[in-house]
Structure formats: structure tokens, C-alpha cells
């Protein structure tokens, strides 16, 4: 007797699921009755009801009422190859039949995780040849801390324990991820945090530069805060600096070109590991495979997730530069791992996803064609808009700063409310565009077409125009 799920049986099952679907009202009632959403005010959400997303294809989503929505955020910055790629579904289906699970703890391994590691070694910059796997970006950053401490302990530098991060950075929502991140509202809700983590200011020019500073001077000054912090703590006590090459959830904050070279110089000078959190920037978002390549620096560790599988299944990873890998490999037991480290199905999907990104030259297209088209379209549309003060980004990621007086860099007093107003206009116009405070963010799937970009930008303009009218600013 065979336990294989045959195609016909599978289709029958899929149809059964389809025909069992409920009305929007029923879904909302059940959701309110039993489901706690992430980062949500559940009382208020349950009163208004969630939008029920039922399917997706390419860059479009459909809700339970039949509305077609264009996804300007690639889910949560992750669906790089777009929705509905059969190659990824097939890879998962085949792997589930062949070997749905086995671990990599006790002297065992399996083909998908071996192939994935070899392919990542090809796609990442040359010194990255070793990868550790987990299920998410948060776990990736937890793993980073474990590696950093093991690295220094193995070299008898036991006092190197402090990690420097940035205010308004985002590194995940586990206790370590939340502590590393610089989101004050998360810290307030965390009764305990990981010790020895300190924050410096972010390179947010529009919001925080002084009147006479150029973007380059400001970014340099912000980078030099790292040196000041190291001298304050003592270089012998600082283990690592971590940052997103550009801040994603914090508002698509793009530092000027002076920032990362200075951060790298300081890290090297004081013998401090440099960690690039590539969870959003990795796998093509900027037009380079990894965002640190866009900014021209060489990290010691990279955190990966999201675009690794294009979000089709959960997976995270940490890439180790040779100089770190060598020490970890020779340092005895590394006492860290998760049941699903290197999960075969996730690894098979990641492989299929990375092959698509590589073979269809999706990343190159972001760099030379669709990315420049998107950036120009945004600048042509919003350069003189009465409430847009800055257009940040490169490739297929952008942040639009809403401002009361763009020329004077004066922000709205009630910035967060302004972003929410604009986000609601987008929602009603069937565009997904995220708001972070008073910045509107876009990060569409990397396979987006020019016509689809035109649709995203014209819907974004309609929403921002409506916001300006509601605020009496247009
Ligand atoms: N690092 C970075 C840079 C991230 O953006 C994480 C780590 C954590 O990854 P996981 O897989 O544990 O969520 C992230 C996640 C938003 C939003 O609304 C952003 C993220 C997650 C959820 C929502 O912008 N980024």
C-alpha cells in the first residue's frame, strides 16, 4: 500500500477546501473569536474586522469579497519572485514526498540543505561560504548573538560582550531581536531584555539633521557616534555592531554614502564584528544580491530570511565570513540549534526560489531596468508634491516622507496620524503601501512590470493627494 498523495486525491482535497469556504462575515467572526494578530490592537481590530485575503498571483492579491489589490509591499518585504510560482510549490510537494523532515543535529545532513548551502556560497560575496539555518529573521539575529559571543570567547577575549545597535532599527521580535532593535514602543512592553546591548542614533537625515548639515556630513557624524560609544564602553568590551544596510521597517531610511565606510573603518580599528541584517535588503531588493554590496562594505556576518524563500515557507539563515567561520569551526561545540534548522522542505523551496532569481536574471533586471524605472517614476511624480519632503530608495524599495513643509524639512506635528490617514486611503484604493509614522513605504515583488509600477505609483499619488486634501495642504 502506498502512502503517496496522488495528484487526483490532492486536487479533490483542494476542491473540498475551496467549496468549504465561508462568507466574509463568518471568517471575520471566527477570526475575532479565536485569532490574536501580531502587532495589533485586537479590541479595535475585532470591532472593525480584518480584510480576508484568499488568493494571490503575480503582484496581485484577492480578498474574500472579490477585490483585486496590488501588493506594493511584496507581502511583508518578502515575496521577491511574486505570488503563484509553480516551481516553488512543486519543489515543496516533491520534497514532502521524498523526505518531509529530518534533522541536522546528530551527525546527519540531507541533500536539500547541502545544495542550498552550496548555492548560497555562490550567490553571496566570495568570503561567505558557511551558513547556519533557522526559521525567521528574529531567530537569525538570536543566532548572530550566539556566534558573536562564541567567536570572542574562543579567542580568549571574554570581556567582549557588548553589541551596539541603532535606535529605530528593526531586528525582529524575539527577546534578543526586540532588544537589538531600537523600537521604543517594543522595549516598553518587554519586561526583560537581553543584557549588554546599547543603541546609537540612526542616520535619518530628513528627521534629525541640523539645518546646515549636508546629508554626507550628517551621515558621517552619525557613524562617528559608534566610535564615541566604543570609547565610552571600552573597545575591549565591545563585541559587534549590527545594522540594516538601509532601515526597512523604520521607514526605508537610506544613509548617505559616507555612512557605511565609516562604520566599517571604526569596526576594523577597534576589532569589532560588523553584522549586516540583510533580512529585507537581501536577495535583490536594491538591485544587488545583498544591500551591503550596494553600500560598498564587507560585513563579518549577514542575517538572511524573507527573500531567501520569497516567503513561500519560513526560513532564516546566518552567513559567516571566512574569518568568523574558521574560528567557530575550530572552537568545539556550538550549542545552538532549532528542530527545524535546515528543514528539508524549506531548503528545497529556498533552492527553487534562488534558482529562479538567478536563472531569470531577476536581480539584474532590478538593477538595470525595473528599479531605475520605479525610482524615476516616483521622482517624476512626487518631486514637487506639496506634502512629500523626501523620496528615498534604490532598486525596488522606496520611502516617501510626508511633510508639512517639504522645503524646510518641517514634519507634521501629528506624523503617525498622517501616515495612518494615507495608509487608509491606499487600502480603500486597493493598494498595499505601508506607513511607518509619517513615511510611506513601497517594496513590490521584484517581478513587477512597468504597467504594474504605473498602477502602484498612480494609486499612491491618489492616496497622497487625498491625504493632502484632508489635511488642507493642497
Ligand atoms: N531583521 C529585519 C531587518 C527585519 O526587517 C527581522 C529581522 C525579523 O524577521 P522575522 O522573520 O522574525 O519577522 C525583520 C522583519 C513591517 C515588518 O511591518 C517588518 C518585519 C517583520 C514584520 C513586519 O515592516 N521585518
Amino acid at each position: 500500500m502506498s502512502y503517496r498523495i496522488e495528484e487526483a486525491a490532492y486536487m479533490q482535497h483542494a476542491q473540498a477546501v475551496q467549496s468549504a469556504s465561508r462568507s466574509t462575515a463568518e471568517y471575520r467572526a471566527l477570526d475575532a473569536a479565536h485569532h490574536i494578530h501580531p502587532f495589533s490592537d485586537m479590541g479595535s481590530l475585532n470591532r472593525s474586522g480584518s480584510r480576508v485575503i484568499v488568493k494571490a498571483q503575480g503582484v496581485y492579491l484577492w480578498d474574500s469579497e472579490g477585490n483585486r489589490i496590488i501588493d506594493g509591499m511584496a507581502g511583508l518585504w518578502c515575496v521577491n519572485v511574486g505570488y503563484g510560482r509553480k516551481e516553488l510549490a512543486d519543489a515543496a510537494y516533491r520534497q514532502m514526498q521524498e523526505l518531509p523532515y529530518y534533522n541536522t543535529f546528530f551527525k546527519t545532513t540531507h541533500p536539500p540543505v547541502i545544495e542550498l548551502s552550496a548555492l548560497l556560497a555562490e550567490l553571496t560575496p566570495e568570503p561567505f561560504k558557511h551558513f547556519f539555518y533557522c526559521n525567521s529573521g528574529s531567530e537569525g539575529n538570536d543566532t548572530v548573538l550566539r556566534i558573536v559571543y562564541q567567536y570572542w570567547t574562543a579567542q580568549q577575549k571574554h570581556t567582549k560582550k557588548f553589541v551596539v545597535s541603532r535606535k529605530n532599527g528593526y531586528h525582529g521580535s524575539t527577546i534578543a531581536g526586540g532588544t537589538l532593535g531600537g523600537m521604543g514602543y517594543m522595549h516598553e512592553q518587554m519586561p526583560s531584555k537581553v543584557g549588554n546591548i546599547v543603541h546609537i542614533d540612526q542616520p535619518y537625515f530628513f528627521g534629525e539633521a541640523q539645518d546646515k548639515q549636508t546629508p554626507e556630513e550628517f551621515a558621517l557624524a552619525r557613524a562617528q557616534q559608534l566610535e564615541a560609544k566604543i570609547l565610552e564602553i571600552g573597545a575591549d568590551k565591545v563585541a559587534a555592531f549590527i545594522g540594516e544596510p538601509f532601515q526597512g521597517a523604520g521607514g526605508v531610511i537610506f544613509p548617505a554614502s559616507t555612512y557605511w565606510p565609516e562604520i566599517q573603518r571604526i569596526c576594523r580599528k577597534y576589532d569589532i564584528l560588523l553584522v549586516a541584517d540583510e533580512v529585507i535588503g537581501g536577495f535583490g531588493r536594491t538591485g544587488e544580491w545583498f544591500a551591503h554590496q550596494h553600500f560598498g562594505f564587507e560585513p563579518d556576518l549577514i542575517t538572511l530570511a524573507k527573500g531567501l524563500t520569497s516567503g513561500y515557507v519560513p526560513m532564516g539563515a546566518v552567513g559567516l565570513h571566512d574569518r568568523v567561520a574558521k574560528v567557530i569551526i575550530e572552537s568545539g561545540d556550538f550549542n545552538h540549534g532549532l528542530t527545524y534548522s535546515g528543514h528539508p522542505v524549506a531548503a528545497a523551496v529556498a533552492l527553487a526560489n534562488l534558482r529562479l532569481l538567478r536563472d531569470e536574471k531577476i536581480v539584474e533586471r532590478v538593477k538595470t531596468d525595473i528599479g531605475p524605472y520605479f525610482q524615476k517614476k516616483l521622482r517624476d511624480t512626487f518631486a514637487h508634491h506639496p506634502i512629500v519632503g523626501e523620496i528615498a530608495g534604490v532598486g525596488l524599495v522606496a520611502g516617501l516622507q510626508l511633510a508639512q513643509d517639504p522645503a524646510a524639512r518641517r514634519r507634521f506635528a501629528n506624523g503617525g496620524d498622517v501616515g495612518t490617514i494615507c495608509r487608509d486611503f491606499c487600502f480603500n484604493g486597493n493598494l498595499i503601501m505601508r506607513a511607518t509614522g509619517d513615511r510611506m513605504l513601497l517594496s513590490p515583488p521584484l517581478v513587477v512590470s512597468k504597467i504594474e509600477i504605473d498602477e502602484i505609483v498612480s494609486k499612491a499619488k491618489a492616496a497622497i493627494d487625498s491625504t493632502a486634501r484632508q489635511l488642507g495642504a493642497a
Side-chain angles (χ1 to χ4, degrees):
M1 183 167 142
S2 159
Y3 286 96
R4 285 181 52 152
I5 305 169
E6 299 303 338
E7 190 86 12
Y10 174 76
M11 291 309 296
Q12 228 174 8
H13 176 68
Q15 276 159 10
V17 168
Q18 202 93 53
S19 61
S21 65
R22 303 167 186 272
S23 71
T24 302
E26 283 175 319
Y27 275 134
R28 284 192 178 145
L30 276 177
D31 192 69
H34 302 297
H35 179 199
I36 306 284
H37 293 225
F39 281 93
S40 300
D41 171 345
M42 284 315 299
S44 139
L45 180 60
N46 287 347
R47 285 186 288 278
S48 60
S50 291
R51 201 163 191 173
V52 185
I53 304 298
V54 293
K55 68 171 189 177
Q57 184 64 38
V59 302
Y60 290 100
L61 307 164
W62 280 263
D63 71 13
S64 55
E65 308 201 297
N67 295 303
R68 191 178 80 150
I69 305 155
I70 192 159
D71 185 2
M73 282 303 297
L76 275 178
W77 324 79
C78 54
V79 187
N80 288 14
V81 295
Y83 298 96
R85 289 304 302 250
K86 194 165 177 305
E87 296 86 342
L88 275 64
D90 286 346
Y93 180 66
R94 278 197 307 270
Q95 188 59 45
M96 280 196 187
Q97 292 174 97
E98 190 73 24
L99 178 71
Y101 177 75
Y102 202 70
N103 72 71
T104 50
F105 275 54
F106 308 119
K107 300 187 178 179
T108 55
T109 186
H110 52 71
V113 80
I114 296 167
E115 297 290 352
L116 175 60
S117 306
L119 183 55
L120 278 172
E122 252 176 54
L123 298 174
T124 50
E126 214 271 326
F128 290 88
K129 298 194 194 72
H130 293 85
F131 301 87
F132 182 96
Y133 297 95
C134 51
N135 306 286
S136 65
S138 302
E139 288 177 359
N141 286 325
D142 280 35
T143 301
V144 159
L145 288 187
R146 304 287 285 271
I147 293 174
V148 163
Y149 295 138
Q150 175 113 343
Y151 175 84
W152 291 119
T153 303
Q155 297 174 89
Q156 311 303 320
K157 298 200 171 165
H158 298 283
T159 56
K160 273 188 167 298
K161 292 277 189 264
F162 278 86
V163 175
V164 184
S165 176
R166 284 134 10 128
K167 293 177 192 159
N168 199 37
Y170 189 80
H171 298 293
S173 198
T174 53
I175 303 292
T179 311
L180 283 170
M183 305 293 186
Y185 55 86
M186 287 176 76
H187 289 180
E188 279 161 27
Q189 279 187 348
M190 290 162 71
S192 66
K193 298 199 208 68
V194 173
N196 301 330
I197 291 173
V198 296
H199 294 81
I200 59 173
D201 288 324
Q202 58 176 329
Y204 176 24
F205 177 79
F206 192 92
E208 298 181 1
Q210 288 156 16
D211 279 349
K212 292 201 171 57
Q213 277 179 314
T214 65
E216 289 71 25
E217 286 165 354
F218 170 73
L220 196 63
R222 283 290 152 107
Q224 284 164 352
Q225 279 196 11
L226 175 59
E227 188 156 29
K229 184 59 81 180
I230 291 166
L231 294 174
E232 178 193 321
I233 298 169
D236 59 329
K237 296 200 179 63
V238 181
F241 172 79
I242 183 168
E244 305 151 80
F246 64 88
Q247 290 150 258
V252 182
I253 311 275
F254 261 68
S257 60
T258 45
Y259 186 77
W260 281 108
E262 182 67 359
I263 291 280
Q264 174 163 298
R265 182 192 70 77
I266 295 166
C267 288
R268 299 279 182 269
K269 177 172 174 188
Y270 296 101
D271 205 11
I272 283 158
L273 292 175
L274 173 51
V275 185
D277 183 336
E278 291 274 3
V279 168
I280 284 181
F283 304 105
R285 185 59 50 203
T286 63
E288 301 290 345
W289 272 88
F290 298 93
H292 72 263
Q293 296 170 301
H294 169 76
F295 288 100
F297 68 100
E298 188 182 90
D300 297 298
L301 291 161
I302 48 177
T303 319
L304 309 171
K306 296 193 189 271
L308 173 59
T309 57
S310 281
Y312 279 52
V313 292
M315 185 174 229
V318 175
L320 293 76
H321 190 291
D322 276 344
R323 62 177 158 256
V324 179
K326 215 167 65 204
V327 173
I328 298 299
I329 289 166
E330 296 304 326
S331 67
D333 279 338
F334 179 50
N335 294 312
H336 176 54
L338 304 145
T339 304
Y340 302 132
S341 285
H343 192 287
V345 177
V349 172
L351 255 179
N353 171 61
L354 297 181
R355 285 176 179 151
L356 281 186
L357 285 172
R358 180 192 62 188
D359 298 345
E360 296 186 354
K361 304 205 178 334
I362 292 171
V363 180
E364 287 87 331
R365 179 175 164 270
V366 174
K367 181 167 181 155
T368 59
D369 182 19
I370 199 73
Y373 181 83
F374 176 60
Q375 297 296 332
K376 178 169 188 312
K377 186 96 199 164
L378 286 172
R379 281 160 181 77
D380 289 350
T381 307
F382 293 110
H384 304 292
H385 195 283
I387 64 162
V388 176
E390 184 198 20
I391 304 154
V394 72
L396 284 178
V397 61
L400 304 175
Q401 173 76 50
L402 302 181
Q404 178 138 33
D405 183 346
R409 276 203 276 125
R410 189 150 53 83
R411 297 165 71 186
F412 288 103
N414 56 341
D417 298 344
V418 174
T420 306
I421 293 169
C422 187
R423 207 242 346 255
D424 290 346
F425 278 123
C426 295
F427 207 74
N428 295 333
N430 289 330
L431 164 69
I432 305 279
M433 173 154 74
R434 181 161 164 5
T436 285
D438 51 7
R439 287 172 80 86
M440 302 306 300
L441 318 181
L442 286 168
S443 163
L446 305 186
V447 295
V448 66
S449 71
K450 289 182 181 167
I451 291 172
E452 289 160 348
I453 281 185
D454 293 351
E455 181 183 342
I456 290 171
V457 175
S458 83
K459 285 186 163 169
K461 173 146 190 325
I464 294 176
D465 286 349
S466 300
T467 307
R469 273 195 298 278
Q470 178 158 334
L471 297 169

